[in-house]
Amino acid sequence: MHAIQESAGGPSYTSYIPCVTFAPGQNASTMEEQRIGPLVAQRTAQRRIFYGIEVTASEPGGKPTCLDFNQFLPLLPTFVSVVWLGQRYWDVEPVGQVESLQLAKHLATHIPVLPHLSAYRLQRKRLDQFLALNFSSLLAVRGDQVHEGQEFRIAQPMVEQSRRQRGERISICVPGYPEGYTSLGDVPPDSARNIKFLKAKVAAGADCIITQICYRPEAIVQFVRDCRAAGITVPIVVGLMTHETFRTYSTIERIVGVHLPNELREELNQLRSHHNSTTKSEPNRISRYFVSLTVRIIRHILDANRCFKNFGNWIYFRFLIWREN
């Protein structure tokens, strides 16, 4: 995912206490594979329905995000992806005290986890320290901001170093961008360059691709076709994000630079305008709108999956748990 940027400061990371309730029978002994890339490949080969969720370790106000897996029954998520907040986490020492990694360590005793790590102000020594924590998986992202003095300007060297040090003991996932590198001003996207960069990361050791925010299912389908045509064979899982309010949508739009298509934005604007006099009901209406949009995207992708052989059986329902104060 795009490494979400927040202003520096906030609560003490050493005082972070994960707020998690596990479902009955959910423990390490039931996990056949903890590395996300092989796990996704395995579920895909079995043509099994599966999904993952994505969470932040804490809410915007600093309160730990509470996660109750009983709410996901009867079908529990296959894995949990934990977001890295670049500007908040880059200087927390030791790196194991970063709240997202504390949460990931806690979750890893019961469910496969995919902690994110951003290149933002990352040094090789700090990457070594992260790898020494012995997570089974990593999502290596460049992030939406680059600091003048940071050592890693792109994610590929992070992938190379991680694979070199941990070998096959770690799964390394990387983002895929159906809309291009929007945070870098890549509009319209240069698809050929996009796939070239992605293929280089796979050659460096990435074994899983997770698509980033995109509200156009046809763009997601084309992205997968382009990857397969270029000889990229690692599992590709689709990341989808719903929004509870217009405010959360606008925040993500500002961070990553991905917009609703004009006709969908018009639908959203009309919905907000029509219900402007009953603002208390707006969040529910906005939430339902994005849920409906997500269902439409899923249906489009599943239809494409049925129509094209070797397209792959992949859906990763990615929900960013982000509550407003």
Side-chain angles (χ1 to χ4, degrees), residues 192-306:
R193 185 185 65 171
N194 188 3
I195 297 299
K196 178 182 177 182
F197 289 164
L198 185 57
K199 192 170 183 178
K201 284 185 267 190
V202 172
D207 60 4
C208 176
I209 298 166
I210 297 178
T211 67
Q212 302 302 286
I213 296 172
C214 180
Y215 303 107
R216 299 186 300 123
E218 63 278 4
I220 298 172
V221 170
Q222 187 59 53
F223 172 79
V224 176
R225 289 178 180 166
D226 291 344
C227 286
R228 298 310 187 215
I232 297 174
T233 60
V234 301
I236 301 173
V237 288
V238 175
L240 301 173
M241 180 183 291
T242 61
H243 303 285
E244 294 184 0
T245 66
F246 183 77
R247 179 184 173 188
T248 57
Y249 163 75
S250 298
T251 299
I252 295 299
E253 181 184 61
R254 173 177 53 80
I255 292 171
V256 305
V258 175
H259 311 275
L260 283 168
N262 291 336
E263 64 276 13
L264 295 181
R265 184 56 186 264
E266 183 59 30
E267 288 180 15
L268 182 60
N269 288 340
Q270 289 179 2
L271 182 64
R272 295 182 66 228
S273 175
H274 183 68
H275 298 286
N276 191 45
S277 59
T278 56
T279 54
K280 289 184 178 180
S281 66
E282 185 201 355
N284 287 334
R285 296 180 187 278
I286 298 299
S287 176
R288 287 199 297 268
Y289 172 80
F290 280 107
V291 168
S292 175
L293 174 60
T294 300
V295 171
R296 279 186 274 170
I297 293 173
I298 292 170
R299 285 176 173 167
H300 184 108
I301 293 172
L302 290 178
D303 286 343
N305 195 28
R306 283 189 289 267

Side-chain angles (χ1 to χ4, degrees), residues 135-203:
F135 284 107
S136 298
S137 302
L138 158 69
L139 177 64
V141 301
R142 175 191 177 275
D144 299 308
Q145 295 186 359
V146 177
H147 188 266
E148 183 178 351
Q150 74 184 47
E151 189 167 348
F152 294 98
R153 310 296 291 186
I154 57 176
Q156 183 181 333
M158 294 171 61
V159 174
E160 292 172 345
Q161 182 172 337
S162 301
R163 182 61 69 202
R164 183 169 56 250
Q165 290 190 208
R166 293 291 309 281
E168 296 305 312
R169 292 170 295 160
I170 190 170
S171 171
I172 306 170
C173 299
V174 292
Y177 298 94
E179 295 284 9
Y181 292 91
T182 50
S183 62
L184 304 181
D186 185 23
V187 180
D190 185 335
S191 298
R193 185 185 65 171
N194 188 3
I195 297 299
K196 178 182 177 182
F197 289 164
L198 185 57
K199 192 170 183 178
K201 284 185 267 190
V202 172

